[in-house]
Amino acid sequence: MCGRVPKVSKSCVDMECMSPAAAADDPRMEHTTLSHLPDELLENIFVRLPLKYVVRLQCLNKKWRFTIFSNQFQKVNAALPAQRIGIFRVRTPSRSGGSNVAKIFQICVYDVSANEWCKIPLESAPLNLEAILQVDSGIVCWKGFHQIHHHKFSTCNPVMGVWYELPPLLQGPEFPTLEKMVSNTSSGMYKLQVRTFGCTCKQVGCRSVHESVEIFDSSTHSWSIGNSNSLEIPKIQSSRLQVWDPKQERVQVTDICDQAPHGTVYHGRSQDRWYILSLNSDTEGIWEWEGKGIMQGPSLLKVCTLPLGCKFMTYKNYFYVHAEIFIILTVFEPLDAPDLKQVRVLTFQTSTQAWDERWPQELAHSRLESWEFETELTFEPSFSAMP
């Protein structure tokens, strides 16, 4: 034998043989449960768990939920590199009457470190949700409808399960449009800029149109009148640097985008970088716009080729970019399971220059449910952002 087998003490044997009722009264069991661990140790345990377990833990125990909501846990979690990517999918139930039909949303999160997917249901929403308007620093802004106020906004942190219904707009016109959302990651506060159109006099038959800009500040939980320049979106530069390499394959934008068959070209963005996924045989691969800003330059640089043997053309595809990770989702209808839709996930990381192929059951769904993924929109789960 390479090592000694440790002896089991008599007290340990006695504790294993105890009934639950006897164990509860035994003084030796007083500080042996997970709930009795120090908060600092719990924080360091929870922060290393896959996201799906952290979401479950906050529903099982009041102390664990308090630990996850604590400022210290949020600081520890924020100090770790971002390793979770969330995407949205939506299902519209069949119309049962009325013009407004509430949609059902889910967040599917890819945990990079655990290399697995999980689903986060959106529960306890204060409004009947219609659409996702903006996502920034862990906060999601939604548009919904209400019996009294036809259009209202709400924000939430879906990981924490915390919602906030925004107060009514000051002008109260008919057609509000969310233009900007700016979050402060250090303070957890955020601001919204909404442009409104409509009549404010509330007189029957009035056709005058009034336009205004309103700003919502989460620190005061109130709206104020602003202008188009009230909010300035900070410029975030990508950590990915373009290196001039004469050997790197290049194509013209027109070679991919012009005359491309429907469903063969997909666009993605990460920070100040823009990308194209091409499924055409002549230009197959992921390409990056040369230069910075909104699609500057006439040329595209090849980031990577697609893995051999993967089928795309006859199925529905979705393309997402988050930092240095590219994700391609393909929805299949297997012949041997006509009532089921499977989702294949191809993930490419520039750090490893390798593709990973998975068929997560968390993304599969019944054919009758008609789930659709929100295109291009990604979400970075956060434990520190509070609506």
Side-chain angles (χ1 to χ4, degrees):
M1 294 180 65
C2 298
R4 297 176 56 190
V5 178
K7 294 183 179 181
V8 179
S9 65
K10 184 177 183 300
S11 61
C12 292
V13 175
D14 293 341
M15 292 169 66
E16 290 180 0
C17 298
M18 283 182 182
S19 65
D25 297 332
D26 193 292
R28 293 173 296 178
M29 299 293 290
E30 183 179 357
H31 299 292
T32 56
T33 62
L34 187 61
S35 297
H36 288 92
L37 293 177
D39 292 342
E40 183 178 353
L41 185 55
L42 283 176
E43 292 163 0
N44 283 278
I45 293 175
F46 291 167
V47 79
R48 287 166 173 79
L49 292 176
L51 180 64
K52 64 179 181 181
Y53 296 121
V54 181
V55 174
R56 295 174 188 173
L57 284 172
Q58 62 179 320
C59 302
L60 296 178
N61 186 290
K62 289 184 178 180
K63 181 180 179 180
W64 297 348
R65 182 174 177 82
F66 178 79
T67 301
I68 295 172
F69 271 74
S70 67
N71 293 331
Q72 183 58 33
F73 176 79
Q74 295 169 6
K75 291 179 181 179
V76 173
N77 187 80
L80 297 178
Q83 295 181 328
R84 299 178 180 122
I85 306 167
I87 59 177
F88 297 87
R89 66 178 185 176
V90 59
R91 179 164 66 91
T92 304
S94 58
R95 247 175 232 277
S96 58
S99 59
N100 293 324
V101 177
K103 297 180 180 180
I104 302 172
F105 291 86
Q106 283 183 345
I107 295 181
C108 303
V109 179
Y110 175 52
D111 202 324
V112 179
S113 57
N115 200 11
E116 64 181 13
W117 288 81
C118 69
K119 289 186 298 185
I120 301 178
L122 293 168
E123 300 175 345
S124 305
L127 302 174
N128 296 314
L129 302 178
E130 282 187 294
I132 304 168
L133 299 181
Q134 292 276 1
V135 177
D136 190 26
S137 301
I139 296 294
V140 185
C141 184
W142 305 81
K143 177 185 177 183
F145 56 88
H146 193 273
Q147 293 180 352
I148 300 176
H149 305 283
H150 295 290
H151 297 285
K152 291 204 69 176
F153 299 103
S154 63
T155 55
C156 79
N157 181 333
V159 177
M160 308 294 285
V162 180
W163 289 82
Y164 177 69
E165 182 179 352
L166 274 63
L169 294 164
L170 299 177
Q171 302 290 347
E174 300 177 358
F175 306 106
T177 302
L178 180 63
E179 293 184 323
K180 300 177 184 178
M181 180 177 181
V182 178
S183 300
N184 188 324
T185 55
S186 59
S187 65
M189 299 292 104
Y190 61 92
K191 292 183 178 181
L192 306 175
Q193 178 173 308
V194 174
R195 184 175 296 274
T196 60
F197 301 88
C199 176
T200 59
C201 66
K202 300 181 181 180
Q203 294 181 2
V204 179
C206 179
R207 297 184 178 180
S208 63
V209 177
H210 177 74
E211 178 180 346
S212 64
V213 175
E214 298 187 23
I215 306 297
F216 177 80
D217 191 338
S218 66
S219 62
T220 60
H221 296 284
S222 61
W223 294 94
S224 62
I225 301 298
N227 55 60
S228 300
N229 300 320
S230 297
L231 288 186
E232 182 177 352
I233 299 178
K235 296 182 180 180
I236 303 176
Q237 294 187 353
S238 173
S239 57
R240 176 180 171 82
L241 299 177
Q242 287 185 351
V243 180
W244 174 260
D245 184 359
K247 298 182 180 180
Q248 188 173 5
E249 187 175 351
R250 282 175 169 78
V251 296
Q252 297 296 308
V253 177
T254 54
D255 294 340
I256 292 181
C257 296
D258 290 1
Q259 300 179 353
H262 177 70
T264 60
V265 175
Y266 301 85
H267 296 269
R269 179 187 179 185
S270 177
Q271 298 171 337
D272 62 343
R273 298 294 187 190
W274 292 78
Y275 301 88
I276 287 181
L277 166 65
S278 174
L279 303 181
N280 296 314
S281 57
D282 295 337
T283 58
E284 190 178 73
I286 295 178
W287 303 82
E288 179 181 2
W289 287 84
E290 189 172 12
K292 294 184 179 181
I294 304 179
M295 304 183 184
Q296 291 183 354
S299 301
L300 298 171
L301 308 177
K302 194 164 193 178
V303 178
C304 62
T305 57
L306 300 181
L308 297 176
C310 289
K311 297 181 180 180
F312 298 97
M313 302 295 290
T314 58
Y315 303 99
K316 193 162 188 178
N317 305 290
Y318 300 87
F319 179 50
Y320 303 94
V321 185
H322 187 86
E324 302 293 310
I325 298 177
F326 300 87
I327 300 176
I328 305 174
L329 268 62
T330 304
V331 181
F332 288 85
E333 296 183 5
L335 297 177
D336 55 346
D339 295 332
L340 185 68
K341 286 189 177 181
Q342 291 279 3
V343 179
R344 181 192 65 193
V345 181
L346 290 172
T347 307
F348 181 83
Q349 298 191 42
T350 56
S351 58
T352 61
Q353 291 291 307
W355 285 95
D356 179 75
E357 180 181 8
R358 292 187 177 272
W359 298 77
Q361 292 302 311
E362 292 82 2
L363 303 186
H365 58 272
S366 170
R367 186 177 181 180
L368 299 177
E369 290 180 339
S370 300
W371 286 98
E372 297 288 341
F373 291 95
E374 294 281 354
T375 58
E376 301 182 21
L377 187 62
T378 61
F379 167 74
E380 186 174 316
S382 171
F383 289 96
S384 58
M386 298 301 291

